[in-house]
Amino acid sequence: MPVVAPPHAMLLGLLLAFCSVAPARAQAPETLYEEGVRYRLEGRFDDAERMLQEALSEQPENVDALVQLGFVQLAQGKNEDARGTFERVLVLSPNYEDARYGLAQLAFRNGNLDDAENLTNQVLAAQPENADAQALADNVARAREAQKTSATSPPEAVPTVPAPPEPTPAKPPPEEIAQAKRERLAGLIAEGTRLRLDGRFAAAETRYRKALSLAPEDADILVALGLVTANQDKLTEAREFFERALRLAPSYTDARLGLSRLALRADDTAEARRLAEEAKAREPESIETELLLARIDIAEGDLMSADARYEALARRTDDNAEVMVGLGDTRFRQWRFDEARAAYERAHEIAPGDPVTAGRLEREPPKRWRFTAGSEYSALTENRPHWTDSVAALSYRLSPAATVTGETRLATRNNSTDLQIGARIDYAFSDAFAANASVAATPCADFLARVSLGAGMAWRIAENGPNGGPLFLEMQTRHEFFADSEVTSLFPAIKAAIVDERLTFKVTWVHARDDDSTVSNGYILRTDLAATDRFRLFAGYADAPEISEGSLFDTRTLFGGVSFDPVDWVTINAAIAHERRDAFERNSLALNFSTRF
């Protein structure tokens, strides 16, 4: 009776596709930096120093962390250490005025008023609104005045009677105190805004938090803090800031848009749209709101609606690079590449120095063709002849959602050879749900199925599962017609990703039933690790039924493999497996490569 390729041989072919993402560290330098800043603001200087030093061990030239460390060392009285730290910052970034301000503080503490005055004037020349530097300049001026007074005043005569107590200096008038507070607040906000626009979000957050301590109910500061914390992925804090701003100013559009963006990042498009539509109702002409609604359209898969919004915005304004980039991106995703190129060129004309627009001009259309070829060699015990299984497949992407594949398979078993021809179509209905269907036929079959019909689906059921990463539900089915039997197989699976999807775990249940109602069940366990952007590996164990000659047999298989992308358009895969069954054991090696063009 004919023999059929075991299901795990097909699974090995499927198991050679991997996710490709970057490796992770236990604690990112950005997190260490943020904790260091927080500890510094809380006065926990030893903890702050430890966190900042750890961040610098990962990123030795992180000037933001160095500046914060310098101020921590100042607070600890480690003046020489602080001097070395600030001077190192200025070597790495000569225009980093916070480091120059730190050196000015050191000079003032040491009584070197000339250096303190010179350094402070340099800071103020670059940042006229820097309230801290202005306050230091005032202190230097007062110290110089005190020196002059001390030098010109005659020595006091020793009193013969106790001198009367000196009168308590008068406090500045309230209006002067209020004016000084307003000036400091304005300086902090201006400095925070400058840092935010420069992309230095952690440093901007520090300034805004100082400003908030002076004006706890200022909705503008709360929104600014929401923006910088969101840019640092501190989403819970960002939401709290935006919500506080809305409680203080219920009509504040920017706060509502901030919450909408956070909902969109959490994949809650319904809430994101509700908030954006509320903002639009209050300000119907807001370009920013319409841009956000277009992004929500894209997230929901409605490219036509997003395209219409961007085109309407382009008619309203011809000098907004963000609008043109959005229009180009939408048309690129629709594979309208010439129109996308025209939009990108217009965006680059509007903002020639913007790296985003320059990067879009370098964007190339995706490669539609993919060719895969590979072979598996199996050595059997008990003096049985070896097996081979070779595959060649050609795929073509009809659209962003649809891919068709034609495949030929040449297999040998026990000195017999079968040639199988198959076709498959994959269709992505959304970013979260995709399905596939396949058919294969073997003319003059000796051991493969004469006809094989398959179907399957993959569904992302949760963006943030129990382990923090996405959770997927998958199902594959196959019905095979042999010379004298039929077999139906089910492969339901659940897959969980963690560590930013660099590590995934998958559990598959295998259920097979033939036309004599013989049933066999099993399972497959697999884990994948993306070690680098270009190198991935996997390992697993299967205790699952095998279909052989139209009958079901138990097998136990240990398998593993690697995948490597030497260049962006080539992937090389290798896998090994050791299988045990009642009649014999099998060791196999599979190699294949794919190229995209």
Side-chain angles (χ1 to χ4, degrees), residues 166-178:
E166 295 184 1
T168 303
K171 290 184 178 180
E175 59 272 15
E176 185 176 327
I177 296 174

Side-chain angles (χ1 to χ4, degrees), residues 332-347:
F332 194 94
R333 293 185 63 167
Q334 298 174 82
W335 288 27
R336 297 158 61 182
F337 301 122
D338 291 341
E339 296 173 73
R341 175 79 182 182
Y344 292 150
E345 288 175 348
R346 176 58 187 148

Side-chain angles (χ1 to χ4, degrees), residues 385-403:
H386 65 264
W387 294 356
T388 63
D389 209 329
S390 301
V391 174
L394 184 64
S395 300
Y396 180 72
R397 290 189 67 186
L398 296 170
S399 71
T403 301

